[in-house]
Amino acid sequence: MEEKIIVEKNQGNALVTENIKENTKKLYIESYGCQMNLNDSEIVASILSKQGFNTTSKLHEADLVLVNTCSIREKAELTIRKRLQKYNAVKKINPTMKVGVLGCMAERLKEKFLEEEKIVDLVVGPDAYRDLPNLLKEIDAGRDAINVILSKDETYGDVSPVRLNSNGVSAFVSITRGCDNMCTFCVVPFTRGRERSRDPQSIIKEIQELVDKNYKEITLLGQNVDSFLWFGGGLKKDFKKATDIAKATAVDFAQLLDMCAATFPKMRFRFSTSNPQDMSLDVIHVMEKQPNVCRHMHLPVQSGSTKILKAMNRQHTREEYLELVNNIKNIVPDCSFSQDMIIGFCDETEQDHQDTLSLMEEVKYDFGYMFSYSERPGTLAAKKSDDNVPDEVKKRRLTEVIAQQRKHSEHRTKAFLGKTVEVLIEGQSKKADSHWKGRNPQNTVVVFPKENYKIGDFVNVKVNDCTSATLIGEALNYSKNN
Ligand code: SAH
Ligand code: F3S
């Protein structure tokens, strides 16, 4: 009886796609953390569909369970540990089920995973998914299997991801992998390796496939999209050594974005994430020029204090960041902004915290992702700095920052009252069956009565009401993009 309850409670966050008739094995796959992980899970599902696997949402019937993991904060890792306990319970009623760990935790913990978690049969880092068919043979033969080798050139450029839990309207396309920035708090450069960019032709090809399937919105993804640079392949750090021809014909992010927007004028484009230090004004000019590039900039700042930014090894000051924001606002006045903030980094004083609040006051972000600092083993901050802001102080400052953000979000959504915005319908509103949900070019969620419109339509919506996160309105007509 107890086990039955466990099974029912444990359907979790399964990602599923359409089944292929000939496939007989069942894959239960979950993805935690960033959008890049979700897109990687789509790549994994694609590789495994060629190995006879269909996705399932039922954990207890899975032949293979894969969890794509996140290491960004300690809490993210604890969530995964808890999931493994649940898998363990289900294994009692499904003893042949195999369990694999993918992603950043796999890369960070390597063999330790196999030692610490008996349930785990398979450990695969973010650059090793192509090796899955071989690794599965190993575990079928009763051996644990591991591949955590980071690559100089793996971009999965020729793998067409199968879209998991897709609304059929918006999709992610990865354009870079890895990060060279070495922010002192961040585990990503260790888990995802050095930066490399994907061949623009393979990006265009993937977008064409999505156009053919009637997708309407693409988010170009990377840890640091503005750093995109294609010069024939290889690590970005080796660009200096490239031939003169390769240098002269290199494609940067502004050029790539321009090329995508011009090639697919009916497709909406977003991109994430921009690191302020790598952001060029050329990108903003592409946004200004191309109406199908959304008016939204996710521009993580982490702190409003130049002292803390320096300790974090962010390559800009508070003033330089604000200058960038003002430049963007001048060139694209209707551009919205969102942030990532880390609260309570090592040696953060009350004054530093006030600097964060005052920077927020200047920018008035539309929304943001705010978290307390979580020390990550192996990072420069863990080695060199003291995680010395007490938990209760972090908590209080975080509450203040979130309250400030809520105030600004409300200010931003109120500014849309009475206006008409273009919305791409993505699905049903969670709160009301009678309403559609979509987003405007600024990335604000909009809900409105369904009438005869359908998912995937571009609709002009008049905004009549709002909360701090959502615009509420009524559809007027199809927009000219439809
Ligand atoms: N360029 C990437 C950054 C990945 S990390 C992107 O934005 O996708 C995402 C966010 O997690 C960072 O911007 C930062 O705000 C937060 N973060 C990273 N390491 C952290 C840590 N050790 N503690 C708390 N938050 C962290
Ligand atoms: Fe992390 Fe900084 Fe790169 S936050 S992902 S090291 S830009």
Side-chain angles (χ1 to χ4, degrees), residues 39-94:
N39 192 225
D40 281 0
S41 298
E42 296 181 326
I43 286 166
V44 167
S46 170
I47 292 170
L48 291 184
S49 81
K50 298 193 177 66
Q51 301 294 313
F53 283 93
N54 276 331
T55 51
T56 174
S57 63
K58 299 188 181 83
L59 187 49
H60 61 276
E61 65 173 38
D63 298 298
L64 176 65
V65 176
L66 294 179
V67 57
N68 201 348
T69 61
C70 173
S71 284
I72 204 81
R73 284 171 287 270
E74 190 184 14
K75 192 156 175 279
E77 292 203 351
L78 294 175
T79 305
I80 305 294
R81 300 275 186 179
K82 280 207 195 112
R83 283 309 285 160
L84 293 175
Q85 282 174 21
K86 303 276 183 186
Y87 301 161
N88 215 356
V90 174
K91 189 151 176 151
K92 290 195 189 114
I93 51 165
N94 180 8

Short mmCIF file of all heavy atoms in Angstrom, two decimals, residues 39-94:
data_model
loop_
_atom_site.label_atom_id
_atom_site.label_comp_id
_atom_site.label_asym_id
_atom_site.label_seq_id
_atom_site.Cartn_x
_atom_site.Cartn_y
_atom_site.Cartn_z
N ASN A 39 17.02 22.18 -22.90
CA ASN A 39 17.37 21.95 -24.31
C ASN A 39 18.31 20.73 -24.43
O ASN A 39 18.18 19.93 -25.35
CB ASN A 39 18.01 23.22 -24.89
CG ASN A 39 18.14 23.16 -26.39
OD1 ASN A 39 19.16 23.49 -26.96
ND2 ASN A 39 17.10 22.70 -27.08
N ASP A 40 19.23 20.58 -23.48
CA ASP A 40 20.09 19.39 -23.50
C ASP A 40 19.27 18.12 -23.32
O ASP A 40 19.56 17.09 -23.93
CB ASP A 40 21.13 19.47 -22.36
CG ASP A 40 22.30 20.38 -22.70
OD1 ASP A 40 22.32 20.95 -23.80
OD2 ASP A 40 23.19 20.52 -21.84
N SER A 41 18.24 18.19 -22.47
CA SER A 41 17.39 17.01 -22.27
C SER A 41 16.70 16.64 -23.58
O SER A 41 16.47 15.46 -23.88
CB SER A 41 16.34 17.26 -21.17
OG SER A 41 17.00 17.51 -19.95
N GLU A 42 16.37 17.65 -24.38
CA GLU A 42 15.75 17.40 -25.69
C GLU A 42 16.76 16.72 -26.63
O GLU A 42 16.38 15.87 -27.43
CB GLU A 42 15.24 18.72 -26.28
CG GLU A 42 14.12 19.33 -25.44
CD GLU A 42 13.54 20.62 -25.97
OE1 GLU A 42 14.27 21.43 -26.57
OE2 GLU A 42 12.33 20.83 -25.78
N ILE A 43 18.01 17.10 -26.50
CA ILE A 43 19.06 16.46 -27.30
C ILE A 43 19.21 14.99 -26.87
O ILE A 43 19.30 14.08 -27.69
CB ILE A 43 20.39 17.24 -27.15
CG1 ILE A 43 20.28 18.55 -27.94
CG2 ILE A 43 21.59 16.42 -27.60
CD1 ILE A 43 21.33 19.58 -27.66
N VAL A 44 19.20 14.77 -25.55
CA VAL A 44 19.32 13.40 -25.01
C VAL A 44 18.14 12.55 -25.49
O VAL A 44 18.32 11.41 -25.94
CB VAL A 44 19.38 13.44 -23.46
CG1 VAL A 44 19.18 12.06 -22.86
CG2 VAL A 44 20.71 14.04 -23.02
N ALA A 45 16.93 13.11 -25.41
CA ALA A 45 15.74 12.34 -25.84
C ALA A 45 15.85 12.00 -27.32
O ALA A 45 15.43 10.91 -27.75
CB ALA A 45 14.47 13.14 -25.56
N SER A 46 16.43 12.91 -28.09
CA SER A 46 16.60 12.66 -29.52
C SER A 46 17.60 11.51 -29.75
O SER A 46 17.34 10.59 -30.53
CB SER A 46 17.10 13.96 -30.19
OG SER A 46 17.49 13.71 -31.50
N ILE A 47 18.72 11.56 -29.03
CA ILE A 47 19.73 10.50 -29.17
C ILE A 47 19.12 9.15 -28.76
O ILE A 47 19.31 8.13 -29.44
CB ILE A 47 20.99 10.84 -28.33
CG1 ILE A 47 21.70 12.06 -28.94
CG2 ILE A 47 21.94 9.65 -28.21
CD1 ILE A 47 22.81 12.65 -28.08
N LEU A 48 18.34 9.15 -27.67
CA LEU A 48 17.80 7.87 -27.17
C LEU A 48 16.61 7.37 -27.98
O LEU A 48 16.34 6.17 -27.99
CB LEU A 48 17.44 8.00 -25.69
CG LEU A 48 18.65 8.14 -24.77
CD1 LEU A 48 18.22 8.15 -23.31
CD2 LEU A 48 19.68 7.03 -24.99
N SER A 49 15.92 8.27 -28.67
CA SER A 49 14.81 7.77 -29.50
C SER A 49 15.36 6.89 -30.62
O SER A 49 14.69 5.97 -31.08
CB SER A 49 13.95 8.92 -30.03
OG SER A 49 14.56 9.48 -31.17
N LYS A 50 16.60 7.16 -31.01
CA LYS A 50 17.24 6.31 -32.04
C LYS A 50 17.74 5.00 -31.43
O LYS A 50 18.21 4.12 -32.16
CB LYS A 50 18.38 7.07 -32.71
CG LYS A 50 17.85 8.29 -33.43
CD LYS A 50 18.85 8.91 -34.38
CE LYS A 50 18.25 10.08 -35.12
NZ LYS A 50 17.92 11.25 -34.25
N GLN A 51 17.68 4.91 -30.10
CA GLN A 51 18.08 3.67 -29.41
C GLN A 51 16.85 2.90 -28.94
O GLN A 51 16.96 2.06 -28.05
CB GLN A 51 18.96 4.00 -28.19
CG GLN A 51 20.23 4.77 -28.53
CD GLN A 51 21.19 3.93 -29.36
OE1 GLN A 51 21.44 2.78 -29.05
NE2 GLN A 51 21.70 4.52 -30.44
N GLY A 52 15.69 3.24 -29.47
CA GLY A 52 14.48 2.47 -29.15
C GLY A 52 13.70 2.97 -27.95
O GLY A 52 12.82 2.27 -27.45
N PHE A 53 13.98 4.19 -27.47
CA PHE A 53 13.27 4.69 -26.29
C PHE A 53 12.16 5.68 -26.65
O PHE A 53 12.38 6.62 -27.41
CB PHE A 53 14.24 5.43 -25.35
CG PHE A 53 15.11 4.52 -24.54
CD1 PHE A 53 16.38 4.15 -25.00
CD2 PHE A 53 14.68 4.03 -23.31
CE1 PHE A 53 17.19 3.31 -24.25
CE2 PHE A 53 15.49 3.19 -22.56
CZ PHE A 53 16.74 2.82 -23.02
N ASN A 54 10.98 5.47 -26.05
CA ASN A 54 9.93 6.48 -26.03
C ASN A 54 9.88 7.09 -24.64
O ASN A 54 10.20 6.42 -23.65
CB ASN A 54 8.57 5.85 -26.32
CG ASN A 54 8.34 5.71 -27.82
OD1 ASN A 54 8.86 6.51 -28.62
ND2 ASN A 54 7.57 4.71 -28.19
N THR A 55 9.45 8.36 -24.54
CA THR A 55 9.35 8.97 -23.22
C THR A 55 8.07 8.51 -22.53
O THR A 55 7.08 8.19 -23.19
CB THR A 55 9.32 10.50 -23.33
OG1 THR A 55 8.32 10.87 -24.28
CG2 THR A 55 10.67 11.05 -23.76
N THR A 56 8.11 8.49 -21.20
CA THR A 56 6.92 8.17 -20.41
C THR A 56 6.82 9.14 -19.24
O THR A 56 7.83 9.66 -18.77
CB THR A 56 6.96 6.73 -19.86
OG1 THR A 56 5.85 6.54 -18.99
CG2 THR A 56 8.24 6.44 -19.08
N SER A 57 5.59 9.37 -18.78
CA SER A 57 5.43 10.21 -17.58
C SER A 57 5.26 9.34 -16.34
O SER A 57 5.04 9.84 -15.25
CB SER A 57 4.21 11.13 -17.75
OG SER A 57 3.05 10.33 -17.86
N LYS A 58 5.35 8.01 -16.53
CA LYS A 58 5.12 7.10 -15.40
C LYS A 58 6.42 6.48 -14.94
O LYS A 58 6.97 5.57 -15.58
CB LYS A 58 4.12 6.02 -15.79
CG LYS A 58 2.78 6.61 -16.19
CD LYS A 58 1.75 5.51 -16.39
CE LYS A 58 0.42 6.10 -16.80
NZ LYS A 58 0.34 6.39 -18.24
N LEU A 59 6.88 6.98 -13.81
CA LEU A 59 8.16 6.55 -13.26
C LEU A 59 8.21 5.04 -13.05
O LEU A 59 9.21 4.39 -13.36
CB LEU A 59 8.37 7.31 -11.94
CG LEU A 59 9.69 7.20 -11.20
CD1 LEU A 59 10.87 7.42 -12.12
CD2 LEU A 59 9.72 8.20 -10.07
N HIS A 60 7.11 4.47 -12.54
CA HIS A 60 7.15 3.06 -12.16
C HIS A 60 7.21 2.11 -13.37
O HIS A 60 7.44 0.92 -13.21
CB HIS A 60 5.95 2.70 -11.27
CG HIS A 60 4.64 2.93 -11.94
ND1 HIS A 60 4.04 4.16 -11.97
CD2 HIS A 60 3.84 2.10 -12.62
CE1 HIS A 60 2.91 4.07 -12.64
NE2 HIS A 60 2.75 2.82 -13.05
N GLU A 61 6.98 2.66 -14.59
CA GLU A 61 7.07 1.76 -15.75
C GLU A 61 8.34 2.01 -16.58
O GLU A 61 8.53 1.40 -17.63
CB GLU A 61 5.81 1.86 -16.62
CG GLU A 61 5.63 3.21 -17.26
CD GLU A 61 4.47 3.24 -18.26
OE1 GLU A 61 3.44 2.61 -18.01
OE2 GLU A 61 4.64 3.91 -19.29
N ALA A 62 9.23 2.90 -16.08
CA ALA A 62 10.40 3.28 -16.87
C ALA A 62 11.46 2.18 -16.90
O ALA A 62 11.71 1.51 -15.89
CB ALA A 62 11.01 4.55 -16.30
N ASP A 63 12.09 1.98 -18.08
CA ASP A 63 13.29 1.12 -18.15
C ASP A 63 14.51 1.93 -17.75
O ASP A 63 15.45 1.41 -17.17
CB ASP A 63 13.48 0.61 -19.58
CG ASP A 63 12.31 -0.23 -20.03
OD1 ASP A 63 12.09 -1.28 -19.38
OD2 ASP A 63 11.60 0.15 -20.97
N LEU A 64 14.46 3.22 -18.11
CA LEU A 64 15.59 4.09 -17.82
C LEU A 64 15.06 5.42 -17.27
O LEU A 64 14.16 6.03 -17.86
CB LEU A 64 16.37 4.34 -19.12
CG LEU A 64 17.55 5.31 -19.05
CD1 LEU A 64 18.66 4.76 -18.13
CD2 LEU A 64 18.12 5.58 -20.45
N VAL A 65 15.64 5.84 -16.14
CA VAL A 65 15.29 7.14 -15.56
C VAL A 65 16.51 8.03 -15.67
O VAL A 65 17.61 7.66 -15.24
CB VAL A 65 14.90 6.98 -14.07
CG1 VAL A 65 14.63 8.35 -13.43
CG2 VAL A 65 13.70 6.08 -13.92
N LEU A 66 16.34 9.20 -16.27
CA LEU A 66 17.45 10.15 -16.37
C LEU A 66 17.05 11.45 -15.71
O LEU A 66 15.94 11.95 -15.93
CB LEU A 66 17.82 10.41 -17.83
CG LEU A 66 18.39 9.24 -18.61
CD1 LEU A 66 18.67 9.64 -20.06
CD2 LEU A 66 19.68 8.71 -17.96
N VAL A 67 17.96 12.00 -14.92
CA VAL A 67 17.68 13.30 -14.32
C VAL A 67 18.81 14.26 -14.70
O VAL A 67 19.98 13.98 -14.45
CB VAL A 67 17.45 13.19 -12.78
CG1 VAL A 67 18.63 12.56 -12.06
CG2 VAL A 67 17.13 14.55 -12.17
N ASN A 68 18.41 15.35 -15.35
CA ASN A 68 19.39 16.35 -15.77
C ASN A 68 19.50 17.38 -14.64
O ASN A 68 18.51 17.99 -14.25
CB ASN A 68 18.95 17.00 -17.09
CG ASN A 68 20.11 17.63 -17.82
OD1 ASN A 68 21.20 17.78 -17.25
ND2 ASN A 68 19.90 18.01 -19.06
N THR A 69 20.71 17.54 -14.12
CA THR A 69 20.88 18.18 -12.81
C THR A 69 21.50 19.57 -12.89
O THR A 69 22.15 19.93 -13.85
CB THR A 69 21.80 17.31 -11.94
OG1 THR A 69 23.06 17.22 -12.60
CG2 THR A 69 21.22 15.93 -11.72
N CYS A 70 21.32 20.31 -11.79
CA CYS A 70 21.83 21.68 -11.68
C CYS A 70 22.68 21.78 -10.41
O CYS A 70 22.32 21.22 -9.39
CB CYS A 70 20.64 22.62 -11.59
SG CYS A 70 21.08 24.32 -11.24
N SER A 71 23.79 22.52 -10.52
CA SER A 71 24.70 22.67 -9.37
C SER A 71 24.80 24.11 -8.90
O SER A 71 25.62 24.43 -8.07
CB SER A 71 26.12 22.25 -9.77
OG SER A 71 26.22 20.85 -9.84
N ILE A 72 23.97 24.99 -9.47
CA ILE A 72 24.23 26.42 -9.32
C ILE A 72 24.18 26.88 -7.86
O ILE A 72 24.97 27.71 -7.45
CB ILE A 72 23.27 27.24 -10.24
CG1 ILE A 72 23.87 28.59 -10.56
CG2 ILE A 72 21.89 27.41 -9.69
CD1 ILE A 72 24.86 28.57 -11.65
N ARG A 73 23.24 26.31 -7.10
CA ARG A 73 23.18 26.60 -5.66
C ARG A 73 23.05 25.27 -4.92
O ARG A 73 22.60 24.29 -5.50
CB ARG A 73 21.97 27.49 -5.33
CG ARG A 73 22.17 28.95 -5.71
CD ARG A 73 20.89 29.75 -5.58
NE ARG A 73 19.97 29.41 -6.64
CZ ARG A 73 19.92 30.04 -7.83
NH1 ARG A 73 20.72 31.03 -8.08
NH2 ARG A 73 19.07 29.64 -8.75
N GLU A 74 23.41 25.29 -3.63
CA GLU A 74 23.37 24.04 -2.87
C GLU A 74 21.96 23.46 -2.87
O GLU A 74 21.77 22.25 -2.99
CB GLU A 74 23.83 24.30 -1.43
CG GLU A 74 24.03 23.02 -0.65
CD GLU A 74 24.38 23.27 0.81
OE1 GLU A 74 24.22 24.41 1.27
OE2 GLU A 74 24.80 22.30 1.46
N LYS A 75 20.97 24.34 -2.78
CA LYS A 75 19.59 23.88 -2.72
C LYS A 75 19.21 23.06 -3.97
O LYS A 75 18.48 22.07 -3.88
CB LYS A 75 18.65 25.08 -2.57
CG LYS A 75 17.26 24.73 -2.20
CD LYS A 75 16.54 25.87 -1.50
CE LYS A 75 15.10 25.49 -1.25
NZ LYS A 75 14.26 25.68 -2.44
N ALA A 76 19.74 23.49 -5.13
CA ALA A 76 19.45 22.77 -6.38
C ALA A 76 19.97 21.33 -6.27
O ALA A 76 19.31 20.38 -6.70
CB ALA A 76 20.08 23.49 -7.56
N GLU A 77 21.15 21.18 -5.68
CA GLU A 77 21.72 19.83 -5.54
C GLU A 77 20.92 19.00 -4.54
O GLU A 77 20.72 17.80 -4.73
CB GLU A 77 23.19 19.92 -5.13
CG GLU A 77 24.07 20.51 -6.22
CD GLU A 77 25.53 20.11 -6.11
OE1 GLU A 77 25.91 19.51 -5.08
OE2 GLU A 77 26.30 20.41 -7.05
N LEU A 78 20.44 19.65 -3.46
CA LEU A 78 19.66 18.90 -2.46
C LEU A 78 18.35 18.40 -3.07
O LEU A 78 17.90 17.29 -2.76
CB LEU A 78 19.38 19.78 -1.23
CG LEU A 78 20.62 20.16 -0.42
CD1 LEU A 78 20.28 21.13 0.71
CD2 LEU A 78 21.31 18.90 0.15
N THR A 79 17.77 19.20 -3.96
CA THR A 79 16.54 18.77 -4.64
C THR A 79 16.80 17.47 -5.41
O THR A 79 15.98 16.54 -5.38
CB THR A 79 16.08 19.87 -5.63
OG1 THR A 79 15.95 21.08 -4.91
CG2 THR A 79 14.77 19.53 -6.31
N ILE A 80 17.94 17.40 -6.08
CA ILE A 80 18.26 16.20 -6.86
C ILE A 80 18.46 15.00 -5.93
O ILE A 80 17.97 13.89 -6.21
CB ILE A 80 19.53 16.41 -7.71
CG1 ILE A 80 19.41 17.65 -8.60
CG2 ILE A 80 19.87 15.15 -8.52
CD1 ILE A 80 18.38 17.57 -9.68
N ARG A 81 19.15 15.22 -4.82
CA ARG A 81 19.37 14.11 -3.87
C ARG A 81 18.02 13.55 -3.41
O ARG A 81 17.86 12.34 -3.27
CB ARG A 81 20.16 14.60 -2.65
CG ARG A 81 21.53 15.15 -2.99
CD ARG A 81 22.56 14.06 -3.08
NE ARG A 81 23.89 14.62 -3.26
CZ ARG A 81 25.00 13.91 -3.35
NH1 ARG A 81 24.95 12.58 -3.28
NH2 ARG A 81 26.15 14.48 -3.51
N LYS A 82 17.07 14.45 -3.17
CA LYS A 82 15.74 14.00 -2.75
C LYS A 82 15.07 13.19 -3.85
O LYS A 82 14.41 12.19 -3.59
CB LYS A 82 14.86 15.20 -2.40
CG LYS A 82 15.14 15.76 -1.03
CD LYS A 82 13.88 16.45 -0.47
CE LYS A 82 14.24 17.31 0.71
NZ LYS A 82 14.10 18.74 0.45
N ARG A 83 15.22 13.64 -5.10
CA ARG A 83 14.63 12.90 -6.22
C ARG A 83 15.22 11.49 -6.27
O ARG A 83 14.51 10.52 -6.53
CB ARG A 83 14.86 13.60 -7.55
CG ARG A 83 14.00 14.77 -7.85
CD ARG A 83 12.53 14.53 -7.68
NE ARG A 83 11.89 13.74 -8.72
CZ ARG A 83 10.73 13.10 -8.56
NH1 ARG A 83 10.09 13.14 -7.41
NH2 ARG A 83 10.21 12.41 -9.55
N LEU A 84 16.52 11.39 -6.04
CA LEU A 84 17.16 10.07 -6.09
C LEU A 84 16.57 9.15 -5.03
O LEU A 84 16.37 7.95 -5.27
CB LEU A 84 18.67 10.21 -5.91
CG LEU A 84 19.40 10.91 -7.06
CD1 LEU A 84 20.88 11.10 -6.73
CD2 LEU A 84 19.26 10.14 -8.38
N GLN A 85 16.24 9.71 -3.86
CA GLN A 85 15.60 8.89 -2.82
C GLN A 85 14.26 8.35 -3.32
O GLN A 85 13.90 7.20 -3.08
CB GLN A 85 15.36 9.72 -1.57
CG GLN A 85 16.60 9.93 -0.72
CD GLN A 85 16.31 10.88 0.43
OE1 GLN A 85 15.17 11.09 0.82
NE2 GLN A 85 17.37 11.47 0.97
N LYS A 86 13.52 9.21 -4.02
CA LYS A 86 12.22 8.78 -4.55
C LYS A 86 12.42 7.67 -5.59
O LYS A 86 11.69 6.68 -5.59
CB LYS A 86 11.49 9.94 -5.23
CG LYS A 86 11.26 11.13 -4.35
CD LYS A 86 10.01 10.98 -3.51
CE LYS A 86 9.79 12.24 -2.70
NZ LYS A 86 8.69 12.13 -1.76
N TYR A 87 13.40 7.85 -6.47
CA TYR A 87 13.66 6.80 -7.48
C TYR A 87 13.96 5.49 -6.77
O TYR A 87 13.55 4.41 -7.19
CB TYR A 87 14.83 7.15 -8.39
CG TYR A 87 14.72 8.43 -9.18
CD1 TYR A 87 15.86 9.02 -9.71
CD2 TYR A 87 13.50 9.05 -9.41
CE1 TYR A 87 15.79 10.19 -10.45
CE2 TYR A 87 13.42 10.22 -10.14
CZ TYR A 87 14.56 10.80 -10.65
OH TYR A 87 14.51 11.95 -11.37
N ASN A 88 14.71 5.62 -5.68
CA ASN A 88 15.10 4.44 -4.91
C ASN A 88 13.86 3.69 -4.43
O ASN A 88 13.79 2.45 -4.52
CB ASN A 88 15.92 4.90 -3.71
CG ASN A 88 17.00 3.91 -3.38
OD1 ASN A 88 17.09 2.85 -4.01
ND2 ASN A 88 17.82 4.24 -2.42
N ALA A 89 12.89 4.45 -3.95
CA ALA A 89 11.66 3.82 -3.45
C ALA A 89 10.93 3.11 -4.59
O ALA A 89 10.42 2.01 -4.42
CB ALA A 89 10.77 4.88 -2.81
N VAL A 90 10.90 3.76 -5.77
CA VAL A 90 10.19 3.16 -6.90
C VAL A 90 10.92 1.92 -7.40
O VAL A 90 10.31 0.96 -7.86
CB VAL A 90 10.02 4.21 -8.03
CG1 VAL A 90 9.42 3.56 -9.27
CG2 VAL A 90 9.13 5.34 -7.56
N LYS A 91 12.22 1.92 -7.26
CA LYS A 91 13.01 0.77 -7.74
C LYS A 91 12.61 -0.52 -7.01
O LYS A 91 12.76 -1.62 -7.56
CB LYS A 91 14.51 1.05 -7.58
CG LYS A 91 15.36 -0.01 -8.24
CD LYS A 91 16.68 0.51 -8.70
CE LYS A 91 17.47 -0.67 -9.26
NZ LYS A 91 18.40 -0.33 -10.28
N LYS A 92 12.08 -0.36 -5.80
CA LYS A 92 11.64 -1.55 -5.06
C LYS A 92 10.53 -2.28 -5.82
O LYS A 92 10.40 -3.49 -5.73
CB LYS A 92 11.14 -1.15 -3.67
CG LYS A 92 12.27 -0.70 -2.76
CD LYS A 92 11.82 -0.66 -1.32
CE LYS A 92 12.91 0.00 -0.50
NZ LYS A 92 12.51 1.29 0.06
N ILE A 93 9.69 -1.53 -6.53
CA ILE A 93 8.62 -2.20 -7.29
C ILE A 93 8.97 -2.34 -8.78
O ILE A 93 8.24 -2.93 -9.54
CB ILE A 93 7.26 -1.48 -7.14
CG1 ILE A 93 7.40 0.01 -7.44
CG2 ILE A 93 6.69 -1.70 -5.76
CD1 ILE A 93 6.08 0.69 -7.65
N ASN A 94 10.06 -1.74 -9.19
CA ASN A 94 10.49 -1.82 -10.61
C ASN A 94 12.00 -2.08 -10.60
O ASN A 94 12.80 -1.22 -10.97
CB ASN A 94 10.14 -0.50 -11.32
CG ASN A 94 10.55 -0.50 -12.78
OD1 ASN A 94 10.97 -1.52 -13.33
ND2 ASN A 94 10.45 0.66 -13.40
#
